[in-house]
Amino acid sequence: MAVPDAVDVLLRPTPDDRARPGRAFLGDDALLLAPTRHGRLTRLLAGAANGLLADLPESLGLYDPHAVSRTEATHDPEAVRVRYGDLAGLAPFVRPTGFSLHLRVDGRSEDVRLAFRSDDERAETVALARELRDRARAAGRDLAVFDPGGRTRVLSLDE
């Protein structure tokens, strides 16, 4: 699976933060992680409407929980920018609640945590991890794959 320029994710910049829907944008020299432009109340009401109407509003394009454009992300002060050369390690893994990708970044005390919720979340997780590994290598870094611990199983990037 080829990685598109933007991938829908659930973003947790630190373990203390709540997971928020957003997008990961692949740039030339950095990964840009931006939360959705929708606030909590909007997400709650739209999620309830989606649940009651069998995801009809989302499938018709009336609501996108991950709605944020690259331009909005570039100017958002909450966006997290991770230079490929600053990546120190990555952990693509599966746990009972789904697929995730943790990133270790030089200069940050906590891992950046991404989760995936799509029809093909395993393929998205592995494809994004491979692309990050390749871009980090191009920036002169060889990334270590690490095990985040707990009830997880690290995914192979060589398949």
Side-chain angles (χ1 to χ4, degrees):
M1 171 182 179
V3 176
D5 288 342
V7 179
D8 293 343
V9 296
L10 295 176
L11 172 63
R12 281 180 69 186
T14 65
D16 299 334
D17 291 338
R18 295 184 79 148
R20 290 181 59 188
R23 288 207 169 102
F25 296 96
L26 293 166
D28 292 334
D29 60 346
L31 174 68
L32 181 62
L33 304 166
T36 182
R37 66 174 161 253
H38 299 304
R40 261 190 196 159
L41 181 61
T42 303
R43 291 194 320 262
L44 177 70
L45 294 174
N50 263 343
L52 290 173
L53 301 173
D55 292 327
L56 189 61
E58 195 173 331
S59 64
L60 292 176
L62 300 175
Y63 171 72
D64 179 5
H66 301 277
V68 62
S69 69
R70 185 181 292 271
T71 303
E72 290 170 326
T74 301
H75 300 291
D76 185 355
E78 291 184 37
V80 176
R81 288 160 186 79
V82 178
R83 290 174 16 103
Y84 301 124
D86 291 341
L87 285 172
L90 53 85
F93 63 93
V94 62
R95 62 176 161 210
T97 57
F99 291 84
S100 295
L101 176 63
H102 289 192
L103 304 173
R104 287 197 176 141
V105 182
D106 289 343
R108 290 183 65 103
S109 60
E110 302 287 343
D111 295 345
V112 175
R113 299 162 182 235
L114 307 175
F116 299 84
R117 297 287 180 268
S118 70
D119 293 336
D120 202 8
E121 55 187 289
R122 182 188 193 287
E124 282 183 354
T125 305
V126 171
L128 183 59
R130 282 180 184 157
E131 188 66 25
L132 290 174
R133 179 189 63 188
D134 294 345
R135 290 180 184 219
R137 281 184 182 158
R141 294 294 297 258
D142 192 23
L143 296 184
V145 175
F146 66 93
D147 186 352
R151 294 177 47 193
T152 63
R153 181 176 53 86
V154 176
L155 299 171
S156 173
L157 298 181
D158 298 326
E159 296 175 3

